[in-house]
Amino acid sequence: MPRLPAPPGHVPADVPGLHAAVLSWYAEHARDLPWRRPGTDAWGVLVSEVMLQQTPVVRVEPAWRAWTARWPRPADLADADPAEVLRAWDRLGYPRRALRLQACARELVARHAGEVPQTTEELLALPGVGPYTAAAVIAFAHRGRAVVLDTNVRRVLGRVVQGVALPAPSLTRAEHTLAAELLPADPERSVRWNVGVMELGALVCRARAPRCPSCPVLDRCAWTLAGRPPDEHAGRRRTQPWHGTDRQARGRVLAELRATEGTVDGARLRRAATLSASGDPHQPARALASLLSDGLVEEHAPDRFRLPRSGEGYCPA
DNA sequence: AAATCGTGGTC
DNA sequence: TGACCAAGATT
């Protein structure tokens, strides 16, 4: 994620033809995503990257169009009503991202003259911006050289170079080193490499059902050459539970509030948060309380709740 | 550093 | 059907 100056004498890892194959495949097969279009500014790219954190492209696309049309610049979002921001976020999931994006917009206005900064340090200091998003903004918004390591890139490099079905549960130093070594020295080429590998992971080298016959690097894929061995970490990956969890309960509460103008009775929210799959009697109250402390819900009057209004802004504990 | 945080589609 | 997955960040 550092905006790596091309190291003097930088030599890409020795995977013959890999770059050329990916770049030419991308030139042919890239999706026409709205945030990739030439007119998109850095703010538009940043918005897309935050929306894309754990949310599939197909669901982000319409939300991004509406969002950027309504709040085209950071200053516009900074001035918006948080309740409207949460409604516009719709059901992208993880609604804290919406509040963080607004907090980010306010930071940009307050400390960056309303512009998206260009350094890793400044980007990482923004709410909701972590290592992936900072690198992605440098690469795709500023056309700079950065190590973009998302779940797609990790999977592609894991297979093609390391010969494993799926990467380890958490990012390793070795993966970062490998990605940095593979990054082309030329900035513009590095940008196309980054987006090309990501796109390859999304369209061909997919987690579930890889489309190997369509793969431009099939003949040099270490995983395929090894006979596509199964996932070493199979069974060790714990999938996140959903039914009966606080997250499901919180989701119910927010859905109720999103659909309602004005305030909602606490009893109604706790009823919405009552899950048949959960035997925990105080889960509804706990869900509501946690939403309050996250700033996603506001208590307007005793036991009367609503989506947050402009005023305090986003102030998590 | 493991847990937490939504939502919906797929096989 | 249910487990798995999706351009992660935060604490």
Side-chain angles (χ1 to χ4, degrees):
Chain A
M1 333 71 89
R3 182 166 198 162
L4 298 173
H10 166 80
V11 178
D14 188 5
V15 185
L18 181 59
H19 293 98
V22 170
L23 293 180
S24 77
W25 175 86
Y26 181 75
E28 176 98 3
H29 295 94
R31 288 170 291 181
D32 178 27
L33 301 176
W35 47 86
R36 286 180 182 164
R37 289 198 299 259
T40 310
D41 63 10
W43 170 243
V45 172
L46 175 51
V47 169
S48 79
E49 292 301 341
V50 172
M51 287 183 168
L52 286 163
Q53 292 167 3
Q54 299 287 279
T55 301
V57 168
V58 287
R59 228 177 303 162
V60 165
E61 223 180 307
W64 184 88
R65 292 179 190 280
W67 188 287
T68 53
R70 186 171 183 182
W71 300 300
R73 297 164 304 161
D76 302 315
L77 183 63
D79 291 338
D81 180 350
E84 286 309 299
V85 170
L86 287 169
R87 289 199 176 93
W89 192 256
D90 196 37
R91 292 179 309 203
L92 293 181
Y94 297 138
R96 295 196 282 200
R97 289 182 293 162
L99 295 187
R100 290 192 185 126
L101 195 48
Q102 184 175 40
C104 177
R106 291 174 172 168
E107 284 278 298
L108 296 185
V109 170
R111 303 173 189 239
H112 297 280
E115 302 292 324
V116 177
Q118 312 222 13
T119 70
T120 298
E121 298 71 34
E122 291 172 302
L123 287 166
L124 285 177
L126 297 171
V129 176
Y132 163 76
T133 303
V137 167
I138 288 175
F140 308 139
H142 301 310
R143 315 301 292 182
R145 195 167 176 276
V147 177
V148 177
L149 254 184
D150 77 323
T151 185
N152 289 303
V153 175
R154 293 186 65 209
R155 186 174 55 253
V156 172
L157 298 186
R159 286 176 181 166
V160 175
V161 180
Q162 300 172 318
V164 299
L166 292 172
S170 54
L171 182 62
T172 66
R173 171 64 63 181
E175 286 179 87
H176 186 89
T177 301
L178 171 63
E181 287 172 352
L182 286 171
L183 193 66
D186 174 64
E188 183 53 32
R189 192 173 168 86
S190 77
V191 172
R192 285 184 290 122
W193 164 255
N194 277 325
V195 71
V197 175
M198 248 197 278
E199 192 79 338
L200 187 62
L203 298 182
V204 175
C205 195
R206 309 186 303 176
R208 305 268 188 91
R211 297 172 171 169
C212 296
S214 304
C215 184
V217 297
L218 179 61
D219 57 344
R220 23 177 157 254
C221 173
W223 184 49
T224 292
L225 293 176
R228 293 182 201 157
D231 176 20
E232 309 165 9
H233 309 278
R236 177 69 191 93
R237 302 176 189 278
R238 56 189 64 182
T239 167
Q240 292 183 339
W242 171 247
H243 292 287
T245 62
D246 283 12
R247 298 162 71 191
Q248 187 184 16
R250 286 164 53 106
R252 294 281 184 81
V253 171
L254 268 193
E256 189 78 25
L257 287 167
R258 254 190 262 114
T260 312
E261 286 293 334
T263 66
V264 178
D265 211 45
R268 186 167 144 202
L269 292 179
R270 287 185 288 274
R271 198 177 320 125
T274 300
L275 310 172
S276 57
S278 166
D280 186 343
H282 31 29
Q283 181 173 59
R286 185 174 65 243
L288 185 50
S290 71
L291 288 168
L292 283 165
S293 79
D294 285 346
L296 286 161
V297 176
E298 187 172 274
E299 187 167 14
H300 179 237
D303 210 41
R304 301 283 308 176
F305 302 89
R306 66 183 187 191
L307 292 177
R309 303 300 168 92
S310 307
E312 293 92 295
Y314 176 59
C315 294

